[in-house]
Amino acid sequence: VGFRLPELQAAGYTKKELKRAGFSAQEFKAMATPVGELQEAGYNSSELRNGGYKAQELKAAEFSVADLRAGGYTAAQLSVAGLAAAELKNGGYSAGEMVTGGYATGDLKDAGFSVKVLRSVGISVKEMASVGFTVSEMRLGGCSAEELTACHMDVADLFNGGFGGKQLRAIGFTALQLKNAGVPPVQLRKAARFTAVELHNIGCTLLELRSGGYPLKQLKDEVGFNAEDFRKAGYTADELEDVGFSSKQ
């Protein structure tokens, strides 16, 4: 004759003995048995999940997030249970699982997921920009200057975030925009390949052009600076003579 679970409990059998006898967590759940008592009896998280216990009940009984993951609880279930994204990350849940589970991009950022990881699970550049990732973080995570410009990032932010003059010119920023963003003359010359004339036309002084490394002869022949201009900028008489100025000029 088979005895029912309530009868066996009333007869003094322990939950551990009843587990060994084959009673399931679901049968204990029907009797409103607390999770903690079943945990002590040896039921694991998978058995408890199959028995109908919720993630928040296991969490209250001090099951770890890793235990919950091993037991088959989804990120969505843990979200309902009120667990933070950082707890799930530390417990082994992936960014993809957490996105599927309904965690917001800002939650994932706060949990420590990188731009590269978030891009790999389909988070858009625009969404990442909106939750406060810096230009530098996004650049290192593989976002291009074009993508960030489409998110209305300022040219100064792009430059300060590590994008060079060459990259910024390539996507359409002008010499004036780059100069105003703080790109130094030497980079405007070497990387962005602007001519001395182009920079002079946007207001670069002779001193700035000199600091950018433009040759004196080029500044004389192409831009049209005179001997007096060069003297005021600190060029020596020998340097002026080398490019064709006489000592009387």
Side-chain angles (χ1 to χ4, degrees):
V1 178
F3 289 94
R4 293 182 302 163
L5 180 58
E7 295 171 320
L8 293 172
Q9 281 194 293
Y13 286 95
T14 67
K15 293 178 179 62
K16 186 175 291 188
E17 291 172 321
L18 295 170
K19 180 181 188 301
R20 285 200 296 265
F23 286 97
S24 69
Q26 184 176 13
E27 291 171 291
F28 279 107
K29 173 74 172 174
M31 295 179 60
T33 306
V35 169
E37 294 180 15
L38 297 186
Q39 182 184 22
E40 291 178 4
Y43 287 90
N44 62 36
S45 57
S46 179
E47 292 168 319
L48 293 170
R49 181 181 62 80
N50 291 332
Y53 286 92
K54 295 181 179 179
Q56 51 263 52
E57 294 177 282
L58 273 69
K59 182 62 177 172
E62 299 187 354
F63 277 86
S64 70
V65 174
D67 290 331
L68 296 175
R69 189 172 191 276
Y73 287 93
T74 66
Q77 290 171 315
L78 270 62
S79 177
V80 171
L83 276 74
E87 294 179 279
L88 270 70
K89 181 176 184 289
N90 292 335
Y93 285 85
S94 69
E97 290 174 308
M98 293 164 69
V99 169
T100 301
Y103 283 88
T105 303
D107 296 328
L108 300 177
K109 174 182 180 293
D110 292 342
F113 285 105
S114 68
V115 170
K116 184 176 181 179
V117 170
L118 296 184
R119 273 175 70 87
S120 74
V121 298
I123 304 296
S124 71
V125 174
K126 182 178 181 180
E127 180 68 17
M128 289 188 286
S130 74
V131 299
F133 279 106
T134 67
V135 171
S136 179
E137 290 171 325
M138 298 183 75
R139 178 180 62 82
L140 293 173
C143 302
S144 68
E146 292 94 330
E147 290 173 309
L148 294 177
T149 300
C151 296
H152 308 293
M153 291 289 186
D154 183 82
V155 60
D157 292 330
L158 295 174
F159 176 65
N160 292 330
F163 288 101
K166 181 179 181 180
Q167 294 166 294
L168 297 175
R169 183 180 186 181
I171 62 173
F173 287 108
T174 67
L176 181 59
Q177 288 173 312
L178 297 179
K179 177 180 182 292
N180 290 340
V183 181
V186 68
Q187 193 172 141
L188 292 174
R189 177 180 68 85
K190 284 187 173 181
R193 299 293 182 182
F194 287 106
T195 67
V197 173
E198 289 174 308
L199 297 191
H200 181 250
N201 288 341
I202 63 167
C204 284
T205 66
L206 176 53
L207 285 173
E208 289 175 316
L209 294 172
R210 183 182 187 184
S211 74
Y214 289 94
L216 190 155
K217 184 170 178 55
Q218 184 179 355
L219 297 175
K220 170 182 175 286
D221 295 344
E222 297 179 14
V223 182
F225 288 110
N226 60 39
E228 183 62 21
D229 294 325
F230 287 118
R231 277 192 287 271
K232 288 179 179 179
Y235 288 90
T236 67
D238 288 342
E239 289 176 308
L240 297 184
E241 288 182 14
D242 286 343
V243 296
F245 286 111
S246 70
S247 58
K248 295 181 181 180
Q249 285 182 290

